[in-house]
Amino acid sequence: FKSNRKRYPLMNIKNDHFYLAVDEISFKELLKNERLMNLSFHKEVVADEGQASWEGLYFIGEDKIYFELVKENEKMGIRPGSIGLALSHLAENGEQESLEKIIKTMTDITWTESERKKEDGSSWFKSWFNEKYEPGFVFWLMAYQGKEIEGRGNKAPTGIKRFIEARFHLPVENFSYSIDILSQIVDTNTVGEILEVSFPDQRMSLKFPPSQSQNELDIETLDGKLVTL
């Protein structure tokens, strides 16, 4: 896959986190999985002064990348089987302005900006979504406004050492536009029909093999296969 659009490489943009949404019944079963519960921590996040919330299992690696198995949430638009990818500078205050400046140069992409606050109303982060995204896969850019990254670390009983690879198996109709945009702003390489994404200073790769079935996500860690869903 190769985008014909103009390139806008974002200096030092990184894989911040990614998620897979599961239905409520499956989520309850995951909470009974002893291995997953040892590798992750369970949390209900409350944001925007109590107006927004979501629940998930969080797996955090030593590179501060995290993966979230999130429970479906109709109010938040989180639907079972959907996959998300967030990109940031993995930095504290100071990166928002530079990211906003770059986004404003992307004249052929329309971004929608949103701001998320914490439960107490203090600033948390800003996000930018492209104007069009397919149901099933969404990626966005984000910039933190506080000390979020400083406190990000393993809170699980054992946790994982490091993510090695994530393979996003997505039907072509569910990700072609988003991948086109993604290819404009990060380093990509195509091997056969598989798009590979890499990030500076991160040892994890993302791969997007086309699929004819529903969304699936394979994750490899230094400790072995984490999950196939």
Side-chain angles (χ1 to χ4, degrees):
F1 183 94
K2 186 174 179 60
S3 173
N4 294 319
R5 293 173 177 262
K6 182 179 178 180
R7 288 272 293 152
Y8 299 102
L10 299 181
M11 186 174 295
N12 281 331
I13 201 74
K14 301 181 191 302
N15 177 5
D16 187 279
H17 69 276
F18 57 108
Y19 74 75
L20 174 65
V22 297
D23 62 72
E24 187 171 357
I25 294 175
S26 297
F27 189 79
K28 288 180 179 178
E29 290 301 311
L30 291 172
L31 295 179
K32 300 175 185 178
N33 187 310
E34 184 176 353
R35 177 172 178 266
L36 291 182
M37 294 303 292
N38 278 329
L39 296 174
S40 67
F41 64 94
H42 177 210
K43 184 177 182 180
E44 182 172 0
V45 180
V46 180
D48 294 341
E49 299 178 275
Q51 298 302 305
S53 66
W54 58 92
E55 183 179 359
L57 292 177
Y58 291 82
F59 303 78
I60 301 180
E62 62 184 25
D63 290 337
K64 296 190 181 297
I65 301 169
Y66 74 85
F67 166 59
E68 179 181 6
L69 277 169
V70 62
K71 185 174 75 173
E72 65 175 318
N73 186 322
E74 186 64 31
K75 180 181 178 181
M76 297 295 295
I78 302 173
R79 297 177 177 83
S82 60
I83 291 174
L85 172 64
L87 308 179
S88 81
H89 283 106
L90 275 181
E92 311 296 359
N93 292 323
E95 295 293 350
Q96 178 182 315
E97 183 178 351
S98 62
L99 190 56
E100 287 178 328
K101 286 181 178 179
I102 296 171
I103 288 171
K104 288 178 180 178
T105 69
M106 299 180 182
T107 55
D108 61 338
I109 307 173
T110 301
W111 297 92
T112 300
E113 179 183 303
S114 66
E115 182 174 4
R116 183 73 71 192
K117 295 183 180 297
K118 295 184 178 180
E119 185 177 8
D120 62 6
S122 60
S123 297
W124 190 0
F125 60 83
K126 280 190 175 183
S127 298
W128 293 267
F129 295 83
N130 64 70
E131 62 177 345
K132 172 187 172 185
Y133 62 88
E134 294 84 357
F137 177 69
V138 58
F139 86 92
W140 65 99
L141 306 175
M142 61 189 301
Y144 292 100
Q145 298 168 290
K147 295 293 184 182
E148 170 72 15
I149 306 302
E150 186 178 283
R152 183 184 291 184
N154 177 36
K155 301 179 182 67
T158 57
I160 63 171
K161 294 178 182 177
R162 177 168 64 83
F163 292 105
I164 296 175
E165 178 182 289
R167 297 174 70 92
F168 298 78
H169 300 269
L170 304 169
V172 174
E173 65 272 15
N174 282 5
F175 80 106
S176 57
Y177 180 85
S178 294
I179 292 298
D180 190 20
I181 301 298
L182 186 63
S183 298
Q184 290 181 259
I185 60 179
V186 296
D187 293 329
T188 62
N189 181 44
T190 303
V191 179
E193 294 185 332
I194 299 177
L195 180 78
E196 298 181 355
V197 180
S198 60
F199 301 90
D201 305 320
Q202 288 185 311
R203 294 168 289 179
M204 179 186 183
S205 66
L206 306 180
K207 294 183 179 180
F208 295 84
S211 172
Q212 301 303 318
S213 59
Q214 63 183 11
N215 289 8
E216 295 178 358
L217 181 57
D218 296 332
I219 302 171
E220 291 283 347
T221 73
L222 207 58
D223 310 278
K225 187 177 289 293
L226 175 62
V227 62
T228 300
L229 292 167

